[in-house]
């Protein structure tokens, strides 16, 4: 066989297959176009645009309570999740010297121990704020230094969002926001923009600004460090005319719709002026009135059910030959 002949054979096979497929779809499977008309009445409602981003639940003020002396924990009077008041005693600690004296007095009897407990007082760790205990991982009897956090308090949990520099110009103090947790997506919490940081940080080569959101209520399921999603409402309008985005067409820089006339068969094209848009709806600022009905025609190509003709690419069963098997 001469070089190059196999390629010619395969090329001929491809041409035959393409011709067979074309014949199949033009003769054996003649389709038809179906037109579906949908009607959308112009409705009155509210619409808003939002900046969506990710966030983390964090304490607004995180306070670590440390002992002023090295020593040993005698008693922890609170547990994680407890709410405490300013001035409340949280932990009792014996200094290293007091702990040593009490250990030595124990060998001499209860009277000696009681004496040193009276004359050598414990060190009390006191809450400096009203807040909630979010960390309490140590146990009585453990020795500590002045560098060890014994209890960690939070005055309240807030949401720290990260906003791209392209969106930060739309975010203002006092704007409303919707907060949802990744762990509890069904729980929606309303919040307010409380602080916009002045200094950015670089994340994946993008300048990000941190924005603090204060939730109106803090559900019991909120935990420090949880991931959240927030939608900050940057613009909002009420009692405006609305249509689905798919009902409005654009051409040559303008927008128009097809409005149903007095009779069922009459349709007229009307130029409209649009306003705010969200994921599904668009505001109609001018051109329509409440109660107008906009129609949209969708054309789809549908293959009819096969009554005759076969697919040339599907192997066909050969009819049995007469006298076979004899």
């Amino acid at each position: 066989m001469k070089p190059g002949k196999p390629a010619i054979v395969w090329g001929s096979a491809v041409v035959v297959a393409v011709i067979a497929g074309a014949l199949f779809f033009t003769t054996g499977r003649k389709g038809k176009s179906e037109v579906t008309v949908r009607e959308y009445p112009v409705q009155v409602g509210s619409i808003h645009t939002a900046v969506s981003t990710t966030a983390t639940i964090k304490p607004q003020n995180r306070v670590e309570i440390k002992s002023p002396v090295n020593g040993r924990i005698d008693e922890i009077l609170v547990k994680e999740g407890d709410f405490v008041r300013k001035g409340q005693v949280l932990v009792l600690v014996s200094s290293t010297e007091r702990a040593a004296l009490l250990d030595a007095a124990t060998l001499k009897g209860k009277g000696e121990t009681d004496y040193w407990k009276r004359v050598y007082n414990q060190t009390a760790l006191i809450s400096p704020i009203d807040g909630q205990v979010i960390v309490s991982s140590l146990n009585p009897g453990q020795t500590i230094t002045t560098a060890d956090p014994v209890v960690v308090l939070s005055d309240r949990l807030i949401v720290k969002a990260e906003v791209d520099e392209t969106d930060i110009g739309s975010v203002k103090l006092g704007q409303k926001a919707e907060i949802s947790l990744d762990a509890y997506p069904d729980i929606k919490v309303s919040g307010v923009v409380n602080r916009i940081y002045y200094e950015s940080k670089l994340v994946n080569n993008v300048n990000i600004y941190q924005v603090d959101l204060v939730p109106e209520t803090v559900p019991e399921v909120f935990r420090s460090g949880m991931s959240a999603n927030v939608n900050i409402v940057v613009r909002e309008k009420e009692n405006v005319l609305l249509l689905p985005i798919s009902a409005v067409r654009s051409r040559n820089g303008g927008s128009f719709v097809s409005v149903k006339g007095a009779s069922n068969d009459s349709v007229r094209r009307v130029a409209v002026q649009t306003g705010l848009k969200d994921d599904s709806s668009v505001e109609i600022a001018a051109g329509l009135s409440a109660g107008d009905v906009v129609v949209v025609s969708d054309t789809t190509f549908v293959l009819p059910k096969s009554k005759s003709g076969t697919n040339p690419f599907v192997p066909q069963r050969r009819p049995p030959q007469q006298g076979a098997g004899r």
Side-chain angles (χ1 to χ4, degrees):
M1 184 177 293
K2 295 182 181 181
K5 192 168 184 181
I8 297 175
V9 173
W10 279 107
S12 301
V14 171
V15 172
V16 172
V18 172
I19 294 174
L23 290 174
F24 165 68
F25 283 107
T26 57
T27 59
R29 293 275 185 151
K30 289 184 178 179
K32 61 179 180 179
S33 296
E34 290 186 357
V35 178
T36 302
V37 177
R38 295 189 178 131
E39 296 184 355
Y40 298 103
V42 180
Q43 298 181 343
V44 178
S46 60
I47 190 172
H48 69 266
T49 57
V51 171
S52 300
T53 186
T54 57
T56 306
I57 308 300
K58 293 285 187 181
Q60 185 170 29
N61 292 298
R62 186 179 188 273
V63 181
E64 295 183 346
I65 308 299
K66 300 179 180 180
S67 173
V69 297
N70 298 330
R72 182 173 65 199
I73 298 176
D74 288 339
E75 191 174 0
I76 298 178
L77 305 176
V78 293
K79 63 181 183 298
E80 287 186 4
D82 286 352
F83 289 91
V84 298
R85 306 293 296 178
K86 182 178 180 179
Q88 181 177 336
V89 178
L90 307 176
V91 182
L92 295 174
V93 177
S94 285
S95 64
T96 302
E97 294 80 5
R98 184 178 190 273
L101 284 173
L102 291 177
D103 290 345
T106 302
L107 299 176
K108 298 181 180 182
K110 186 175 182 302
E112 188 75 9
T113 302
D114 291 341
Y115 169 78
W116 284 111
K117 284 183 177 180
R118 288 194 306 271
V119 300
Y120 204 149
N121 292 328
Q122 297 166 299
T123 300
L125 306 188
I126 298 173
S127 174
I129 61 171
D130 294 339
Q132 185 179 24
V133 180
I134 59 174
V135 178
S136 178
S137 57
L138 302 181
N139 297 306
Q142 287 187 249
T143 57
I144 56 173
T145 68
T146 55
D148 298 325
V150 181
V151 173
V152 179
L153 303 178
S154 165
D155 54 352
R156 62 176 173 178
L157 293 176
I158 63 171
V159 181
K160 291 186 175 289
E162 295 184 340
V163 179
D164 189 290
E165 66 175 336
T166 58
D167 294 323
I168 196 64
S170 302
V171 179
K172 309 295 181 185
L173 294 178
Q175 288 176 336
K176 296 185 294 183
E178 184 182 73
I179 305 161
S180 63
L181 298 177
D182 287 354
Y184 302 93
D186 294 335
I187 297 178
K188 307 294 183 183
V189 179
S190 297
V192 176
V193 176
N194 177 257
R195 180 183 178 186
I196 303 172
Y197 288 70
Y198 285 89
E199 186 177 16
S200 67
K201 61 180 180 178
L202 197 63
V203 179
N204 296 327
N205 294 323
V206 177
N207 282 323
I208 297 295
Y209 288 87
Q210 196 171 78
V211 175
D212 287 352
L213 307 171
V214 177
E216 293 180 356
T217 59
V218 179
E220 187 178 349
V221 297
F222 266 40
R223 297 288 186 272
S224 179
M226 280 186 168
S227 298
N229 294 294
V230 300
N231 291 315
I232 302 172
V233 179
V234 296
R235 292 189 65 189
E236 187 175 21
K237 289 185 178 181
E238 297 182 353
N239 298 320
V240 295
L241 302 181
L242 299 176
L243 275 176
I245 292 177
S246 59
V248 181
R249 308 296 187 187
S250 299
R251 182 177 296 174
N252 299 328
S255 299
F256 66 91
V257 296
S258 298
V259 180
K260 185 177 179 179
S263 61
N264 291 333
D265 296 334
S266 62
V267 175
R268 57 191 176 91
R269 178 178 294 185
V270 176
V272 295
Q273 181 180 347
T274 60
L276 295 184
K277 293 182 181 180
D278 60 17
D279 293 338
S280 59
S281 302
V282 58
E283 174 197 0
I284 305 299
L288 296 177
S289 302
D292 288 342
V293 177
V294 173
V295 296
V296 178
S297 299
D298 292 332
T299 303
T300 56
F301 185 80
V302 180
L303 288 175
K305 294 183 179 180
S306 176
K307 294 183 179 179
S308 62
T310 57
N311 189 337
F313 301 107
V314 177
Q316 304 297 319
R317 179 178 295 180
R318 298 177 61 183
Q321 299 180 359
Q322 294 182 356
R326 292 183 181 177

